[in-house]
Amino acid sequence: MQIVVDLNRCEGYAQCVFLAPKVFELHGEEALLYAPAPPAEQAERVRRAAAACPVQAILVGEQAGADAGTGAGADVR
Amino acid sequence: MSGEFKSGRIVIVGASLAGLRAAETLRDEGFTGELTLVGDEPHPPYDRPPLSKQVLLGRVPAADVGLPARRQVDARWKLGVRASGLDPAAKEVLLANGERLPFDRLLITTGTRARPWPHPEEARLDGVLTVRTVDDASRLAERLDAGPRRVLVIGAGFTGSEIASACRERGLAVTVAERGPAPLVGALGGTLGSFAARLQRAHGVDLRCGVTVTSLLGSNGRLTGAELSDGSRIDVEVAVVALGAVRNTEWLDGSGLAAGPRGVACDAGCRAFNMYGIVTDDVFVAGDVARFPHPLFDYQMLALEHWGNAVEQAEVAAHNMVNPGPLRRPHLAVPAFWSSQFGLNIKSVGVPTFSDQVTIAQGSVEEGRLVVAYGYRGRITAAVSVNRAKWLEHYQRLIETAAPFPPEPGAADRPTAPRVMASDVPDPKVLSHGPTVALTGHLPDRRLAVLRPMA
């Protein structure tokens, strides 16, 4: 699982911090820090946090391009 | 006939945030043709903002910063290979491994790279680092883990200031050297620049403004210290070069596109201009590498090194690549970015450097919570909040509607006598670091025309 928070949109309501405190934390009063690749056991809490975000700033998904492989220009589909 | 737009071959050069979101949008919009993404880094797309924050604090391993996919994308990925040229007549991208990729439409999202330390020999010293890529951040986090006695940060823009903040939070001694008069002054002007200077010093940063680092000193290939232009000398084991970014346009030399150090010029619909100023219809640009005209800022060409711009411009570019003229959209989003440093959340909407005056619209410097509004010739052009993110949306609406500056009082915590001051945005030339928002090359309150008598 991979997450990204659109911090332009985030206004520091901190609903995510209450729902998934091991993934999201406030740094100071309103700067959000989060773990971009939370462990599987946090998945349900993260989904609830994303759903509860008043400004819908949290995107949850599988890692983009995970099937792209790594390497020197090899074609990967 | 829209069929021709939804098929064919699309190549995206640049496989980071903008390239990824464009690829997803192309498929969302019904593109069924061949899609190829080219990226010079060996990694799949990843998110850069956490690199100078969570990663340097040691809270998150650098390898964790991948991006979530919005949808599955059927595409061919060519990672770890650089694009080396563009043949616009043959419609082919040339790759560094000698391969040629034919395209019907091309999207350029090659972004920027860290500006290197100008002295190559000093830059090679062990302990001299930059922060742009996941590998850079991983290396620096490792160095910070080792507990160096002092870290030198060269350049006090956003990246440099965030690095200094991470060092202080880890309890490391840090010196910040900036040629300009204050940290962040190039992006935010004098009022917030002096606020940032006080903030850094209050957090124990050895902040030195108005100086340049004249040389990095080494012994047996390892960094040992630095000399400053004021004659002082400091002992450091790690130096982070935070001099801003260089746009990745060299591979377009000879392509005939309007590409150069300031980026690739394009129209509001993300179509690239060629060097004659004629708009192309098969080459599109998005993200940090693009320069585009924005009506809210007198149609000046803006180049924005912002996360949100990479996403929004990529979406517009992708939409316009697969839709005919009348259905195309302009990229008109109001620029926005954030930074967190020294426990504060700093957010900006609009273009603060496009200003002649500022006023503290809410809160105060003393309480460390405030909104600064920026105006140009009597209309509001930007607002920056410090720990006041919830207020910013209001100012964004004022900016979008070109509301008068100074803004009407609308809040209970407005200072009693709002004072309008000069915005004091320095010429980018006096700063150590490059600007993260590049205007066409002049600031609106300055005339740069120079008349030279004929010899």
Side-chain angles (χ1 to χ4, degrees), chain B residues 82-410:
Chain B
R82 206 165 40 82
S84 55
L86 167 65
D87 182 339
K91 298 183 74 149
E92 286 180 334
V93 172
L94 316 177
L95 301 186
N97 64 8
E99 222 181 311
R100 304 173 87 89
L101 295 178
F103 63 84
D104 296 304
R105 274 151 292 158
L106 170 69
L107 176 62
I108 297 168
T109 52
T110 43
T112 64
R113 61 182 184 275
R115 184 177 297 282
W117 184 244
H119 311 287
E121 270 170 43
E122 295 176 9
R124 276 194 293 274
L125 289 170
D126 184 48
V128 180
L129 303 159
T130 55
V131 179
R132 174 71 193 171
T133 68
V134 68
D135 298 330
D136 294 339
S138 178
R139 271 193 292 270
L140 179 56
E142 238 171 71
R143 296 287 177 143
L144 300 184
D145 284 343
R149 270 172 301 169
R150 179 169 292 277
V151 176
L152 168 65
V153 178
I154 308 171
F158 283 103
T159 307
S161 299
E162 288 179 4
I163 294 165
S165 170
C167 289
R168 287 307 301 141
E169 198 164 332
R170 282 170 170 260
L172 299 171
V174 58
T175 298
V176 172
E178 166 57 52
R179 185 155 69 145
L184 310 185
V185 68
L188 303 181
T191 300
L192 283 171
S194 53
F195 174 78
R198 282 196 300 277
L199 180 70
Q200 294 206 1
R201 291 193 170 114
H203 280 81
V205 174
D206 170 30
L207 174 66
R208 309 202 188 177
C209 294
V211 297
T212 52
V213 175
T214 48
S215 64
L216 296 173
L217 311 166
S219 153
N220 298 322
R222 293 185 69 91
L223 176 73
T224 54
E227 283 177 345
L228 306 183
S229 57
D230 60 3
S232 60
R233 194 182 149 149
I234 49 172
D235 294 332
V236 288
E237 291 162 48
V238 174
V240 191
V241 178
L243 297 177
V246 181
R247 296 187 161 75
N248 293 319
T249 57
E250 294 85 350
W251 69 285
L252 294 167
D253 286 353
S255 68
L257 289 181
R262 288 184 190 153
V264 183
C266 63
D267 72 0
C270 311
R271 296 181 299 176
F273 287 117
N274 73 12
M275 64 188 191
Y276 302 116
I278 299 173
V279 75
T280 61
D281 208 31
D282 50 5
V283 181
F284 292 73
V285 202
D288 291 11
V289 77
R291 305 169 60 207
F292 63 98
H294 201 304
L296 277 178
F297 308 101
D298 288 359
Y299 294 93
Q300 275 211 60
M301 301 292 277
L302 297 184
L304 304 171
E305 294 169 30
H306 296 164
W307 189 94
N309 184 64
V311 174
E312 286 155 357
Q313 198 170 21
E315 290 167 350
V316 173
H319 170 89
N320 291 345
M321 288 176 88
V322 294
N323 283 285
L327 297 181
R328 285 181 174 165
R329 296 200 314 243
H331 174 51
L332 297 177
V334 175
F337 68 88
W338 74 88
S339 169
S340 62
Q341 45 184 285
F342 304 101
L344 296 181
N345 189 30
I346 301 172
K347 297 185 71 167
S348 166
V349 291
V351 177
T353 48
F354 193 86
S355 62
D356 50 18
Q357 291 185 313
V358 299
T359 186
I360 295 176
Q362 285 176 254
S364 68
V365 167
E366 292 70 32
E367 57 183 304
R369 287 192 207 104
L370 65 158
V371 176
V372 175
Y374 295 72
Y376 177 58
R377 291 190 179 171
R379 81 184 157 90
I380 180 167
T381 52
V384 174
S385 69
V386 178
N387 277 6
R388 271 283 179 267
K390 289 184 183 68
W391 293 107
L392 217 49
E393 222 176 304
H394 167 69
Y395 294 93
Q396 179 169 338
R397 276 195 295 278
L398 296 184
I399 296 164
E400 282 165 347
T401 53
F405 177 91
E408 295 282 322

Side-chain angles (χ1 to χ4, degrees), chain B residues 71-88:
Chain B
R71 54 162 291 144
Q72 286 230 307
V73 173
D74 177 24
R76 192 162 61 124
W77 295 79
K78 301 185 74 66
L79 299 181
V81 63
R82 206 165 40 82
S84 55
L86 167 65
D87 182 339

Side-chain angles (χ1 to χ4, degrees), chain A residues 2-4 6-13 25 27-31 33-37 59-65 68-77, chain B residues 20-21 42 44 47 54 57 59-60 64 66-70 74-81 169 307-308 336-338 340 343 345 347 369 387-390 393:
Chain A
Q2 200 77 53
I3 58 174
V4 70
D6 181 345
L7 292 172
N8 281 327
R9 210 178 266 195
C10 174
E11 294 182 9
Y13 287 97
E25 63 170 315
H27 195 239
E29 244 174 79
E30 61 167 47
L33 286 187
Y34 60 95
L59 176 65
V60 182
E62 291 311 310
Q63 189 187 352
T70 58
D75 267 20
V76 185
R77 217 173 238 284
Chain B
L20 169 67
R21 294 304 181 222
D47 205 33
Q54 292 99 306
L57 285 171
R59 309 262 183 107
V60 166
D64 274 9
L67 281 162
R70 286 179 175 174
D74 177 24
R76 192 162 61 124
W77 295 79
K78 301 185 74 66
L79 299 181
V81 63
E169 198 164 332
W307 189 94
F337 68 88
W338 74 88
S340 62
N345 189 30
K347 297 185 71 167
R369 287 192 207 104
N387 277 6
R388 271 283 179 267
K390 289 184 183 68
E393 222 176 304

